Amino acid sequence: MKQGSLFEDEINVKKKSYRALRHDIVRKRQSEYCDTAHHPDEKINQIKNVLSEICGWGDLSTLELFAGQGNLTKVYAEFGEVIANEYKGKVFDKLTENVKECAFVHCNKVDSFLDFHQLIALKQTFDVVDLDPYGFPNRMFPDVFLLIENGVMFVTMPKPYVNILNGITRAHLISYYGEHNPSKEKIIERIALWGICHWRKVELLDCIDCKSVWRFAFKVEKVKATDYTGVNNR
């Protein structure tokens, strides 16, 4: 590397605020799937508590749209069959290695932001859907609700106010939530509203605080439009 490039990098680092530098460190840990960034223990405990109480053990079908290295995949496999999607090559290789002893896990190397539309077209539904992407999951809504009719949806949501919001991210959040820094309550309210787009009643079961992200568990139930609205078309 040229000496000039090193000098420029040093200047750029000095220009960054502490918050910006901290954000870069968190992002690096996330990309490397460090436990301190992905909080597998907290998520595992939530999954076990919610599914054992609401659904019981066994006979559940799970769609894990962003499986990563498979920490949660192995937990879902305790409840039944799992489709585990991951797009990044090295991460996918780690996933398949980690779950090779799980008989009912099917790993797919796909981009879930695109592939979930194919699942909808095939009219597939699942008892459990997990949204745990690298970044915001907003692009999956509201259509992701078509993949579940009666079950539980887990959603990992980065806290907007602990992220460095550039112009693109601000515009993205405004387009989905009407503001660039939505509160936890606003996000929960909007997700429930998106469910109604496809006549899914969405109820918050649990929320855990994992420092830079919230992890939501929602009960999802398909409802009749007439029953939900109290309208009689006869």
Side-chain angles (χ1 to χ4, degrees):
M1 184 179 293
K2 295 180 180 179
Q3 184 175 357
S5 297
L6 289 172
F7 181 69
E8 288 173 3
D9 289 343
E10 184 178 352
I11 291 176
N12 289 334
V13 168
K14 288 181 178 179
K15 285 182 178 179
K16 285 190 174 183
S17 66
Y18 167 78
R19 189 161 175 257
L21 290 171
R22 182 175 175 274
H23 176 76
D24 290 344
I25 292 171
V26 170
R27 280 300 195 184
K28 186 174 187 300
R29 289 174 177 171
Q30 288 175 334
S31 66
E32 294 173 349
Y33 286 84
C34 296
D35 287 357
T36 54
H38 286 272
H39 313 283
D41 292 340
E42 295 95 323
K43 294 175 182 177
I44 287 169
N45 290 335
Q46 184 190 47
I47 290 169
K48 289 184 174 181
N49 290 338
V50 170
L51 294 189
S52 60
E53 180 178 347
I54 300 300
C55 304
W57 288 89
D59 299 324
L60 296 178
S61 61
T62 297
L63 172 64
E64 195 179 6
L65 287 162
F66 304 91
Q69 296 183 358
N71 288 321
L72 305 185
T73 311
K74 290 183 287 186
V75 179
Y76 285 126
E78 297 176 16
F79 293 87
E81 187 175 1
V82 183
I83 293 178
N85 292 352
E86 178 53 50
Y87 188 55
K88 297 178 182 178
K90 291 182 179 179
V91 181
F92 180 79
D93 293 341
K94 188 70 173 179
L95 167 66
T96 55
E97 175 66 22
N98 284 341
V99 302
K100 63 183 180 181
E101 303 298 329
C102 301
F104 300 107
V105 174
H106 309 279
C107 299
N108 298 318
K109 189 176 183 296
V110 295
D111 181 351
S112 281
F113 281 112
L114 300 175
D115 186 70
F116 90 106
H117 295 288
Q118 177 69 13
L119 297 176
I120 293 170
L122 294 172
K123 299 186 183 301
Q124 293 195 30
T125 58
F126 303 86
D127 300 309
V128 180
V129 175
D130 188 298
L131 291 174
D132 191 7
Y134 177 73
F136 292 99
N138 305 321
R139 285 191 292 155
M140 311 296 288
F141 295 112
D143 290 346
V144 71
F145 282 111
L146 291 170
L147 295 173
I148 184 169
E149 294 186 348
N150 187 23
V152 177
M153 181 177 290
F154 292 94
V155 180
T156 300
M157 178 66 66
K159 298 177 181 178
Y161 59 84
V162 300
N163 289 275
I164 300 298
L165 300 181
N166 58 32
I168 295 174
T169 306
R170 289 171 65 93
H172 172 83
L173 291 171
I174 290 171
S175 71
Y176 280 93
Y177 299 101
E179 55 187 280
H180 73 273
N181 187 19
S183 64
K184 178 180 70 175
E185 291 73 22
K186 179 72 172 183
I187 292 170
I188 293 170
E189 175 187 325
R190 189 55 61 94
I191 290 175
L193 187 63
W194 287 328
I196 296 303
C197 291
H198 295 297
W199 299 114
R200 294 331 190 244
K201 180 182 178 182
V202 180
E203 175 188 354
L204 182 68
L205 296 174
D206 187 52
C207 173
I208 56 175
D209 190 320
C210 300
K211 295 182 179 179
S212 62
V213 302
W214 292 299
R215 176 74 168 172
F216 303 125
F218 295 102
K219 177 74 170 66
V220 180
E221 179 186 358
K222 185 177 181 180
V223 294
K224 290 184 178 181
T226 51
D227 292 343
Y228 185 84
T229 60
V231 174
N232 189 343
N233 288 332
R234 295 180 182 178

